[in-house]
Short mmCIF file of all heavy atoms in Angstrom, two decimals:
data_model
loop_
_atom_site.label_atom_id
_atom_site.label_comp_id
_atom_site.label_asym_id
_atom_site.label_seq_id
_atom_site.Cartn_x
_atom_site.Cartn_y
_atom_site.Cartn_z
N MET M 164 0.05 1.36 -20.96
CA MET M 164 -0.88 2.06 -21.85
C MET M 164 -0.48 3.53 -22.00
O MET M 164 -0.27 4.22 -21.02
CB MET M 164 -2.29 1.97 -21.27
CG MET M 164 -3.31 1.61 -22.34
SD MET M 164 -4.95 1.68 -21.64
CE MET M 164 -5.85 0.81 -22.91
N ILE M 165 -0.42 3.95 -23.24
CA ILE M 165 -0.05 5.35 -23.48
C ILE M 165 -1.30 6.18 -23.74
O ILE M 165 -2.10 5.85 -24.62
CB ILE M 165 0.93 5.50 -24.67
CG1 ILE M 165 2.23 4.72 -24.35
CG2 ILE M 165 1.26 6.94 -24.94
CD1 ILE M 165 3.06 4.40 -25.58
N LYS M 166 -1.42 7.19 -22.97
CA LYS M 166 -2.57 8.09 -23.16
C LYS M 166 -2.24 9.13 -24.23
O LYS M 166 -1.18 9.74 -24.19
CB LYS M 166 -2.84 8.79 -21.82
CG LYS M 166 -4.32 8.97 -21.55
CD LYS M 166 -4.51 9.64 -20.20
CE LYS M 166 -5.86 10.31 -20.16
NZ LYS M 166 -5.97 11.22 -19.03
N THR M 167 -3.16 9.32 -25.13
CA THR M 167 -2.93 10.35 -26.15
C THR M 167 -3.07 11.73 -25.55
O THR M 167 -3.70 11.91 -24.51
CB THR M 167 -3.92 10.20 -27.32
OG1 THR M 167 -5.22 10.08 -26.77
CG2 THR M 167 -3.61 8.97 -28.14
N ALA M 168 -2.49 12.68 -26.21
CA ALA M 168 -2.51 14.08 -25.73
C ALA M 168 -3.94 14.54 -25.44
O ALA M 168 -4.85 14.30 -26.22
CB ALA M 168 -1.87 14.99 -26.76
N GLU M 169 -4.09 15.13 -24.33
CA GLU M 169 -5.43 15.56 -23.93
C GLU M 169 -5.93 16.74 -24.75
O GLU M 169 -5.29 17.78 -24.84
CB GLU M 169 -5.41 15.96 -22.46
CG GLU M 169 -6.01 14.85 -21.59
CD GLU M 169 -6.07 15.24 -20.14
OE1 GLU M 169 -6.85 16.14 -19.84
OE2 GLU M 169 -5.32 14.67 -19.35
N ALA M 170 -7.06 16.53 -25.35
CA ALA M 170 -7.68 17.62 -26.08
C ALA M 170 -9.04 17.89 -25.47
O ALA M 170 -9.71 16.99 -24.99
CB ALA M 170 -7.84 17.22 -27.55
N LYS M 171 -9.40 19.13 -25.50
CA LYS M 171 -10.72 19.47 -24.99
C LYS M 171 -11.79 19.04 -25.99
O LYS M 171 -11.51 18.74 -27.13
CB LYS M 171 -10.80 20.98 -24.73
CG LYS M 171 -9.91 21.37 -23.57
CD LYS M 171 -10.31 22.69 -22.99
CE LYS M 171 -10.26 23.80 -24.01
NZ LYS M 171 -10.65 25.08 -23.45
N SER M 172 -13.02 19.04 -25.54
CA SER M 172 -14.10 18.55 -26.38
C SER M 172 -14.23 19.31 -27.70
O SER M 172 -14.64 18.73 -28.70
CB SER M 172 -15.41 18.63 -25.61
OG SER M 172 -15.62 19.92 -25.12
N ASP M 173 -13.85 20.57 -27.69
CA ASP M 173 -13.95 21.33 -28.94
C ASP M 173 -12.69 21.20 -29.79
O ASP M 173 -12.57 21.79 -30.84
CB ASP M 173 -14.26 22.81 -28.66
CG ASP M 173 -13.25 23.45 -27.73
OD1 ASP M 173 -12.29 22.76 -27.34
OD2 ASP M 173 -13.42 24.62 -27.40
N GLY M 174 -11.73 20.44 -29.33
CA GLY M 174 -10.54 20.18 -30.11
C GLY M 174 -9.47 21.27 -30.07
O GLY M 174 -8.47 21.17 -30.74
N ILE M 175 -9.72 22.28 -29.28
CA ILE M 175 -8.75 23.37 -29.20
C ILE M 175 -7.84 23.16 -28.00
O ILE M 175 -8.32 23.02 -26.87
CB ILE M 175 -9.45 24.74 -29.10
CG1 ILE M 175 -10.28 24.99 -30.36
CG2 ILE M 175 -8.42 25.86 -28.92
CD1 ILE M 175 -11.26 26.13 -30.21
N ILE M 176 -6.56 23.10 -28.25
CA ILE M 176 -5.62 22.99 -27.14
C ILE M 176 -5.02 24.37 -26.86
O ILE M 176 -4.41 24.97 -27.74
CB ILE M 176 -4.51 21.97 -27.46
CG1 ILE M 176 -5.15 20.61 -27.75
CG2 ILE M 176 -3.53 21.88 -26.30
CD1 ILE M 176 -4.18 19.62 -28.36
N GLU M 177 -5.21 24.81 -25.66
CA GLU M 177 -4.70 26.13 -25.30
C GLU M 177 -3.33 26.02 -24.66
O GLU M 177 -3.09 25.16 -23.83
CB GLU M 177 -5.64 26.80 -24.30
CG GLU M 177 -6.90 27.32 -24.92
CD GLU M 177 -7.76 28.01 -23.86
OE1 GLU M 177 -7.86 27.47 -22.76
OE2 GLU M 177 -8.30 29.07 -24.16
N THR M 178 -2.47 26.93 -25.03
CA THR M 178 -1.21 27.03 -24.34
C THR M 178 -1.45 27.76 -23.02
O THR M 178 -2.46 28.47 -22.90
CB THR M 178 -0.19 27.84 -25.17
OG1 THR M 178 -0.68 29.18 -25.31
CG2 THR M 178 0.00 27.24 -26.55
N PRO M 179 -0.58 27.61 -22.07
CA PRO M 179 -0.79 28.30 -20.79
C PRO M 179 -0.93 29.80 -20.97
O PRO M 179 -1.69 30.46 -20.25
CB PRO M 179 0.50 27.98 -20.00
CG PRO M 179 0.95 26.69 -20.56
CD PRO M 179 0.57 26.72 -22.02
N GLN M 180 -0.25 30.35 -21.96
CA GLN M 180 -0.36 31.79 -22.20
C GLN M 180 -1.74 32.17 -22.72
O GLN M 180 -2.33 33.15 -22.28
CB GLN M 180 0.72 32.22 -23.20
CG GLN M 180 1.00 33.72 -23.14
CD GLN M 180 1.59 34.26 -24.42
OE1 GLN M 180 2.02 33.51 -25.28
NE2 GLN M 180 1.58 35.56 -24.57
N GLU M 181 -2.25 31.37 -23.63
CA GLU M 181 -3.59 31.63 -24.15
C GLU M 181 -4.63 31.52 -23.05
O GLU M 181 -5.58 32.30 -22.99
CB GLU M 181 -3.92 30.64 -25.29
CG GLU M 181 -3.25 30.99 -26.59
CD GLU M 181 -3.39 29.88 -27.61
OE1 GLU M 181 -3.68 28.73 -27.24
OE2 GLU M 181 -3.20 30.16 -28.80
N LYS M 182 -4.42 30.54 -22.21
CA LYS M 182 -5.32 30.32 -21.09
C LYS M 182 -5.35 31.54 -20.17
O LYS M 182 -6.39 31.99 -19.74
CB LYS M 182 -4.84 29.10 -20.30
CG LYS M 182 -5.95 28.24 -19.79
CD LYS M 182 -5.36 26.95 -19.27
CE LYS M 182 -6.46 25.95 -19.04
NZ LYS M 182 -5.95 24.62 -18.75
N ARG M 183 -4.17 32.05 -19.93
CA ARG M 183 -4.04 33.22 -19.06
C ARG M 183 -4.69 34.45 -19.70
O ARG M 183 -5.39 35.20 -19.04
CB ARG M 183 -2.56 33.49 -18.81
CG ARG M 183 -2.31 34.47 -17.70
CD ARG M 183 -0.83 34.55 -17.37
NE ARG M 183 -0.56 35.75 -16.61
CZ ARG M 183 -0.28 36.94 -17.17
NH1 ARG M 183 -0.19 37.06 -18.46
NH2 ARG M 183 -0.06 37.99 -16.42
N GLU M 184 -4.48 34.61 -21.00
CA GLU M 184 -5.08 35.75 -21.70
C GLU M 184 -6.59 35.65 -21.69
O GLU M 184 -7.29 36.64 -21.50
CB GLU M 184 -4.57 35.82 -23.15
CG GLU M 184 -3.21 36.48 -23.23
CD GLU M 184 -2.59 36.34 -24.61
OE1 GLU M 184 -3.27 35.89 -25.55
OE2 GLU M 184 -1.40 36.67 -24.74
N ARG M 185 -7.11 34.45 -21.90
CA ARG M 185 -8.54 34.28 -21.88
C ARG M 185 -9.10 34.56 -20.49
O ARG M 185 -10.13 35.21 -20.33
CB ARG M 185 -8.90 32.84 -22.29
CG ARG M 185 -10.39 32.62 -22.49
CD ARG M 185 -10.66 31.30 -23.19
NE ARG M 185 -10.06 30.17 -22.49
CZ ARG M 185 -10.69 29.51 -21.50
NH1 ARG M 185 -11.90 29.87 -21.12
NH2 ARG M 185 -10.09 28.52 -20.91
N PHE M 186 -8.39 34.10 -19.50
CA PHE M 186 -8.81 34.34 -18.13
C PHE M 186 -8.85 35.85 -17.83
O PHE M 186 -9.82 36.36 -17.28
CB PHE M 186 -7.87 33.63 -17.16
CG PHE M 186 -8.15 33.93 -15.73
CD1 PHE M 186 -9.19 33.28 -15.08
CD2 PHE M 186 -7.42 34.87 -15.05
CE1 PHE M 186 -9.48 33.57 -13.75
CE2 PHE M 186 -7.68 35.17 -13.72
CZ PHE M 186 -8.73 34.51 -13.06
N LEU M 187 -7.80 36.53 -18.23
CA LEU M 187 -7.73 37.97 -18.00
C LEU M 187 -8.85 38.71 -18.72
O LEU M 187 -9.46 39.64 -18.18
CB LEU M 187 -6.38 38.54 -18.45
CG LEU M 187 -5.23 38.32 -17.49
CD1 LEU M 187 -3.93 38.77 -18.13
CD2 LEU M 187 -5.43 39.07 -16.19
N MET M 188 -9.12 38.27 -19.93
CA MET M 188 -10.18 38.90 -20.72
C MET M 188 -11.53 38.72 -20.04
O MET M 188 -12.32 39.65 -19.91
CB MET M 188 -10.18 38.30 -22.12
CG MET M 188 -10.96 39.09 -23.12
SD MET M 188 -10.80 38.36 -24.75
CE MET M 188 -11.90 36.99 -24.61
N GLU M 189 -11.78 37.51 -19.59
CA GLU M 189 -13.05 37.24 -18.92
C GLU M 189 -13.14 37.95 -17.58
O GLU M 189 -14.21 38.31 -17.12
CB GLU M 189 -13.24 35.73 -18.76
CG GLU M 189 -13.61 35.08 -20.05
CD GLU M 189 -13.63 33.56 -19.96
OE1 GLU M 189 -13.44 33.03 -18.86
OE2 GLU M 189 -13.81 32.93 -21.00
N PHE M 190 -11.99 38.12 -16.98
CA PHE M 190 -11.95 38.78 -15.68
C PHE M 190 -12.19 40.29 -15.84
O PHE M 190 -12.92 40.91 -15.07
CB PHE M 190 -10.60 38.52 -15.02
CG PHE M 190 -10.48 39.08 -13.65
CD1 PHE M 190 -11.10 38.46 -12.58
CD2 PHE M 190 -9.74 40.23 -13.42
CE1 PHE M 190 -11.00 38.97 -11.30
CE2 PHE M 190 -9.62 40.75 -12.14
CZ PHE M 190 -10.26 40.12 -11.08
N GLU M 191 -11.57 40.86 -16.88
CA GLU M 191 -11.68 42.31 -17.09
C GLU M 191 -12.98 42.71 -17.75
O GLU M 191 -13.51 43.78 -17.50
CB GLU M 191 -10.49 42.80 -17.93
CG GLU M 191 -9.21 42.86 -17.15
CD GLU M 191 -8.07 43.41 -17.98
OE1 GLU M 191 -8.26 43.67 -19.17
OE2 GLU M 191 -6.98 43.56 -17.42
N LYS M 192 -13.45 41.86 -18.61
CA LYS M 192 -14.69 42.17 -19.33
C LYS M 192 -15.69 41.04 -19.18
O LYS M 192 -15.86 40.24 -20.10
CB LYS M 192 -14.37 42.45 -20.81
CG LYS M 192 -13.46 43.64 -20.99
CD LYS M 192 -13.15 43.86 -22.45
CE LYS M 192 -12.32 45.11 -22.65
NZ LYS M 192 -11.96 45.33 -24.04
N PRO M 193 -16.31 40.98 -18.04
CA PRO M 193 -17.18 39.83 -17.77
C PRO M 193 -18.55 39.90 -18.45
O PRO M 193 -19.27 38.91 -18.47
CB PRO M 193 -17.33 39.85 -16.25
CG PRO M 193 -16.93 41.20 -15.79
CD PRO M 193 -16.22 41.90 -16.90
N PHE M 194 -18.88 41.05 -19.02
CA PHE M 194 -20.22 41.17 -19.60
C PHE M 194 -20.17 40.98 -21.10
O PHE M 194 -19.60 41.78 -21.83
CB PHE M 194 -20.81 42.54 -19.23
CG PHE M 194 -20.90 42.73 -17.76
CD1 PHE M 194 -19.97 43.52 -17.10
CD2 PHE M 194 -21.88 42.08 -17.03
CE1 PHE M 194 -20.04 43.68 -15.72
CE2 PHE M 194 -21.95 42.24 -15.65
CZ PHE M 194 -21.04 43.03 -14.99
N LYS M 195 -20.77 39.93 -21.54
CA LYS M 195 -20.71 39.58 -22.95
C LYS M 195 -22.06 39.76 -23.61
O LYS M 195 -23.07 39.34 -23.06
CB LYS M 195 -20.24 38.13 -23.10
CG LYS M 195 -19.79 37.80 -24.50
CD LYS M 195 -19.28 36.39 -24.58
CE LYS M 195 -20.43 35.47 -24.97
NZ LYS M 195 -19.98 34.09 -25.20
N CYS M 196 -22.04 40.38 -24.77
CA CYS M 196 -23.25 40.48 -25.55
C CYS M 196 -23.51 39.15 -26.22
O CYS M 196 -22.67 38.64 -26.96
CB CYS M 196 -23.10 41.59 -26.60
SG CYS M 196 -24.51 41.67 -27.71
N GLU M 197 -24.69 38.59 -25.96
CA GLU M 197 -24.96 37.26 -26.51
C GLU M 197 -25.29 37.30 -28.00
O GLU M 197 -25.35 36.27 -28.65
CB GLU M 197 -26.08 36.56 -25.71
CG GLU M 197 -27.43 37.21 -25.77
CD GLU M 197 -27.62 38.30 -24.72
OE1 GLU M 197 -26.62 38.77 -24.12
OE2 GLU M 197 -28.76 38.70 -24.49
N LYS M 198 -25.50 38.50 -28.51
CA LYS M 198 -25.84 38.61 -29.93
C LYS M 198 -24.63 38.71 -30.84
O LYS M 198 -24.65 38.24 -31.95
CB LYS M 198 -26.77 39.82 -30.15
CG LYS M 198 -28.13 39.56 -29.54
CD LYS M 198 -29.12 40.63 -29.94
CE LYS M 198 -30.49 40.30 -29.36
NZ LYS M 198 -31.48 41.35 -29.61
N CYS M 199 -23.59 39.39 -30.38
CA CYS M 199 -22.41 39.52 -31.24
C CYS M 199 -21.11 39.15 -30.52
O CYS M 199 -20.03 39.33 -31.08
CB CYS M 199 -22.32 40.93 -31.81
SG CYS M 199 -22.02 42.20 -30.57
N ASN M 200 -21.24 38.63 -29.31
CA ASN M 200 -20.09 38.16 -28.55
C ASN M 200 -19.07 39.22 -28.18
O ASN M 200 -17.95 38.91 -27.81
CB ASN M 200 -19.37 37.02 -29.26
CG ASN M 200 -20.18 35.72 -29.22
OD1 ASN M 200 -21.09 35.59 -28.39
ND2 ASN M 200 -19.85 34.80 -30.08
N GLU M 201 -19.45 40.46 -28.28
CA GLU M 201 -18.56 41.51 -27.84
C GLU M 201 -18.55 41.60 -26.31
O GLU M 201 -19.55 41.31 -25.68
CB GLU M 201 -19.01 42.84 -28.45
CG GLU M 201 -17.84 43.79 -28.63
CD GLU M 201 -18.19 44.96 -29.54
OE1 GLU M 201 -18.90 44.74 -30.54
OE2 GLU M 201 -17.75 46.07 -29.26
N ARG M 202 -17.40 41.97 -25.77
CA ARG M 202 -17.28 41.96 -24.32
C ARG M 202 -17.18 43.37 -23.75
O ARG M 202 -16.63 44.26 -24.38
CB ARG M 202 -16.03 41.18 -23.90
CG ARG M 202 -16.15 39.72 -24.19
CD ARG M 202 -14.94 39.00 -23.65
NE ARG M 202 -15.27 37.61 -23.49
CZ ARG M 202 -15.87 37.13 -22.40
NH1 ARG M 202 -16.15 37.90 -21.39
NH2 ARG M 202 -16.18 35.86 -22.34
N PHE M 203 -17.69 43.51 -22.53
CA PHE M 203 -17.69 44.81 -21.90
C PHE M 203 -17.26 44.72 -20.45
O PHE M 203 -17.52 43.75 -19.75
CB PHE M 203 -19.06 45.46 -22.01
CG PHE M 203 -19.47 45.64 -23.44
CD1 PHE M 203 -20.22 44.66 -24.08
CD2 PHE M 203 -19.07 46.75 -24.15
CE1 PHE M 203 -20.56 44.80 -25.43
CE2 PHE M 203 -19.40 46.88 -25.48
CZ PHE M 203 -20.17 45.92 -26.12
N LYS M 204 -16.64 45.82 -20.06
CA LYS M 204 -16.12 45.90 -18.71
C LYS M 204 -17.23 46.11 -17.70
O LYS M 204 -17.17 45.62 -16.58
CB LYS M 204 -15.15 47.09 -18.67
CG LYS M 204 -14.01 46.92 -17.71
CD LYS M 204 -12.98 48.01 -18.02
CE LYS M 204 -11.73 47.77 -17.20
NZ LYS M 204 -10.62 48.62 -17.65
N LYS M 205 -18.21 46.86 -18.11
CA LYS M 205 -19.28 47.18 -17.19
C LYS M 205 -20.64 46.84 -17.80
O LYS M 205 -20.84 46.93 -19.01
CB LYS M 205 -19.25 48.67 -16.84
CG LYS M 205 -18.05 49.00 -15.99
CD LYS M 205 -18.06 50.43 -15.54
CE LYS M 205 -16.87 50.67 -14.60
NZ LYS M 205 -16.72 52.09 -14.27
N LYS M 206 -21.53 46.49 -16.91
CA LYS M 206 -22.88 46.11 -17.34
C LYS M 206 -23.55 47.27 -18.06
O LYS M 206 -24.31 47.07 -19.01
CB LYS M 206 -23.69 45.73 -16.11
CG LYS M 206 -24.86 44.84 -16.45
CD LYS M 206 -25.45 44.24 -15.19
CE LYS M 206 -26.47 43.18 -15.55
NZ LYS M 206 -26.98 42.50 -14.35
N LYS M 207 -23.23 48.47 -17.61
CA LYS M 207 -23.77 49.67 -18.22
C LYS M 207 -23.36 49.76 -19.69
O LYS M 207 -24.17 50.11 -20.55
CB LYS M 207 -23.22 50.87 -17.44
CG LYS M 207 -23.77 52.20 -17.84
CD LYS M 207 -23.18 53.28 -16.93
CE LYS M 207 -23.35 54.65 -17.56
NZ LYS M 207 -22.09 55.24 -17.97
N TYR M 208 -22.10 49.44 -19.98
CA TYR M 208 -21.61 49.51 -21.36
C TYR M 208 -22.33 48.49 -22.24
O TYR M 208 -22.66 48.76 -23.38
CB TYR M 208 -20.10 49.23 -21.41
CG TYR M 208 -19.24 50.22 -20.67
CD1 TYR M 208 -17.93 49.89 -20.31
CD2 TYR M 208 -19.72 51.47 -20.33
CE1 TYR M 208 -17.14 50.77 -19.63
CE2 TYR M 208 -18.93 52.38 -19.64
CZ TYR M 208 -17.63 52.02 -19.28
OH TYR M 208 -16.84 52.89 -18.62
N LEU M 209 -22.55 47.33 -21.66
CA LEU M 209 -23.27 46.30 -22.40
C LEU M 209 -24.68 46.76 -22.72
O LEU M 209 -25.18 46.58 -23.82
CB LEU M 209 -23.29 45.01 -21.58
CG LEU M 209 -24.12 43.86 -22.14
CD1 LEU M 209 -23.63 43.43 -23.52
CD2 LEU M 209 -24.09 42.67 -21.20
N ARG M 210 -25.31 47.38 -21.73
CA ARG M 210 -26.67 47.85 -21.93
C ARG M 210 -26.72 48.95 -23.01
O ARG M 210 -27.59 48.96 -23.88
CB ARG M 210 -27.22 48.38 -20.61
CG ARG M 210 -28.72 48.23 -20.49
CD ARG M 210 -29.18 48.54 -19.07
NE ARG M 210 -28.69 49.83 -18.62
CZ ARG M 210 -28.24 50.07 -17.39
NH1 ARG M 210 -28.22 49.11 -16.51
NH2 ARG M 210 -27.80 51.25 -17.04
N GLU M 211 -25.73 49.83 -22.96
CA GLU M 211 -25.65 50.89 -23.97
C GLU M 211 -25.40 50.31 -25.36
O GLU M 211 -26.01 50.74 -26.35
CB GLU M 211 -24.54 51.87 -23.61
CG GLU M 211 -24.96 52.82 -22.50
CD GLU M 211 -23.80 53.66 -21.99
OE1 GLU M 211 -22.68 53.56 -22.53
OE2 GLU M 211 -24.04 54.45 -21.05
N HIS M 212 -24.50 49.36 -25.40
CA HIS M 212 -24.20 48.68 -26.66
C HIS M 212 -25.47 48.05 -27.24
O HIS M 212 -25.77 48.23 -28.41
CB HIS M 212 -23.12 47.62 -26.42
CG HIS M 212 -23.03 46.57 -27.47
ND1 HIS M 212 -22.32 46.73 -28.64
CD2 HIS M 212 -23.59 45.33 -27.54
CE1 HIS M 212 -22.43 45.64 -29.37
NE2 HIS M 212 -23.20 44.78 -28.73
N LYS M 213 -26.20 47.33 -26.42
CA LYS M 213 -27.42 46.67 -26.86
C LYS M 213 -28.43 47.68 -27.40
O LYS M 213 -29.08 47.42 -28.42
CB LYS M 213 -28.02 45.88 -25.73
CG LYS M 213 -27.38 44.53 -25.54
CD LYS M 213 -28.07 43.80 -24.40
CE LYS M 213 -27.61 42.36 -24.28
NZ LYS M 213 -28.18 41.71 -23.10
N SER M 214 -28.57 48.77 -26.69
CA SER M 214 -29.58 49.73 -27.11
C SER M 214 -29.15 50.49 -28.38
O SER M 214 -29.98 50.99 -29.13
CB SER M 214 -29.90 50.73 -25.99
OG SER M 214 -28.77 51.50 -25.70
N GLN M 215 -27.85 50.53 -28.62
CA GLN M 215 -27.38 51.22 -29.83
C GLN M 215 -27.30 50.28 -31.03
O GLN M 215 -27.69 50.63 -32.13
CB GLN M 215 -25.99 51.83 -29.58
CG GLN M 215 -26.09 53.10 -28.74
CD GLN M 215 -24.73 53.56 -28.26
OE1 GLN M 215 -23.69 53.06 -28.70
NE2 GLN M 215 -24.70 54.50 -27.34
N ILE M 216 -26.74 49.10 -30.80
CA ILE M 216 -26.45 48.19 -31.91
C ILE M 216 -27.61 47.25 -32.22
O ILE M 216 -27.90 46.94 -33.37
CB ILE M 216 -25.18 47.37 -31.64
CG1 ILE M 216 -24.03 48.25 -31.15
CG2 ILE M 216 -24.76 46.58 -32.88
CD1 ILE M 216 -23.43 49.20 -32.15
N HIS M 217 -28.24 46.79 -31.16
CA HIS M 217 -29.33 45.81 -31.37
C HIS M 217 -30.65 46.41 -30.94
O HIS M 217 -31.43 45.79 -30.22
CB HIS M 217 -29.04 44.55 -30.54
CG HIS M 217 -27.66 44.01 -30.68
ND1 HIS M 217 -27.16 43.50 -31.85
CD2 HIS M 217 -26.64 43.91 -29.79
CE1 HIS M 217 -25.90 43.13 -31.65
NE2 HIS M 217 -25.57 43.36 -30.42
N SER M 218 -30.90 47.62 -31.35
CA SER M 218 -32.01 48.36 -30.73
C SER M 218 -33.40 48.05 -31.25
O SER M 218 -34.36 48.20 -30.54
CB SER M 218 -31.73 49.88 -30.87
OG SER M 218 -31.55 50.17 -32.24
N TYR M 219 -33.51 47.64 -32.47
CA TYR M 219 -34.86 47.52 -33.02
C TYR M 219 -35.67 46.35 -32.49
O TYR M 219 -35.11 45.39 -32.02
CB TYR M 219 -34.82 47.47 -34.56
CG TYR M 219 -34.11 46.28 -35.14
CD1 TYR M 219 -34.83 45.14 -35.55
CD2 TYR M 219 -32.74 46.29 -35.27
CE1 TYR M 219 -34.15 44.07 -36.08
CE2 TYR M 219 -32.06 45.22 -35.81
CZ TYR M 219 -32.78 44.10 -36.20
OH TYR M 219 -32.14 43.03 -36.74
ZN1 ZN P 390 -23.89 43.05 -29.43
#
């Protein structure tokens, strides 16, 4: 039996390099704004971003 190429549930196949870049990004900027998906290095930056961009 031949198994077809493994694809993730979302259909995106990552190359090892993309995987590494994504990992580094999540590692360096773990704080994500849930409203616009922007990432921040520090929780403080995220809080400032929220109060400036999504303030109302
Ligand atoms: Zn935002």
Side-chain angles (χ1 to χ4, degrees):
M164 225 185 195
I165 299 162
K166 217 179 158 193
T167 48
E169 257 182 69
K171 291 200 302 180
S172 54
D173 56 2
I175 298 166
I176 301 167
E177 284 182 318
T178 65
Q180 200 203 347
E181 283 170 341
K182 218 169 192 170
R183 193 172 163 272
E184 279 170 10
R185 188 168 56 88
F186 174 80
L187 280 174
M188 195 175 77
E189 285 173 6
F190 183 76
E191 285 182 356
K192 297 179 177 179
F194 301 103
K195 195 177 92 175
C196 174
E197 65 273 16
K198 291 189 177 175
C199 66
N200 287 342
E201 208 166 321
R202 291 185 160 276
F203 300 92
K204 212 167 187 168
K205 291 185 176 172
K206 203 168 189 175
K207 187 177 161 248
Y208 298 161
L209 174 59
R210 210 170 52 221
E211 282 172 3
H212 161 84
K213 278 181 172 174
S214 65
Q215 284 169 11
I216 313 291
H217 312 294
S218 56
Y219 63 97

